[in-house]
């Protein structure tokens, strides 16, 4: 991952958390858990299991047959 890509990913994470998490932190602390819809939103934003997804792509490339 290039420095530019990493900077873009960090910006994406910060923006997502500022919008989806920060306003709800007090609520989550009071209830003792993070709501499920936050995790669904994080997944939809591409923030969950990114290392796993990258390994799948690498494995697919390594095993694919090209004409």
């Amino acid at each position: 991952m290039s420095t530019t890509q990493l900077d873009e990913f960090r910006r994406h994470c910060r923006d997502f958390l500022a919008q989806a998490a920060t306003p709800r932190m007090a609520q989550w602390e009071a209830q003792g858990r993070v709501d499920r819809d936050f995790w669904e939103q994080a997944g939809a934003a591409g923030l969950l299991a990114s290392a796993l997804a990258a390994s799948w792509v690498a494995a697919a490339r390594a095993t694919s047959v090209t004409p």
Side-chain angles (χ1 to χ4, degrees), residues 14-36:
R14 277 193 306 268
D15 292 347
F16 174 80
L17 292 172
Q19 181 269 326
T22 302
R24 301 167 67 188
M25 294 282 295
Q27 172 193 344
W28 294 338
E29 287 180 17
Q31 68 190 25
R33 65 178 174 81
V34 175
D35 293 328
R36 180 184 180 105

Side-chain angles (χ1 to χ4, degrees), residues 33-53:
R33 65 178 174 81
V34 175
D35 293 328
R36 180 184 180 105
D37 69 309
F38 169 79
W39 298 113
E40 292 169 349
Q41 292 171 0
L47 300 177
L48 299 181
S50 60
L52 182 58

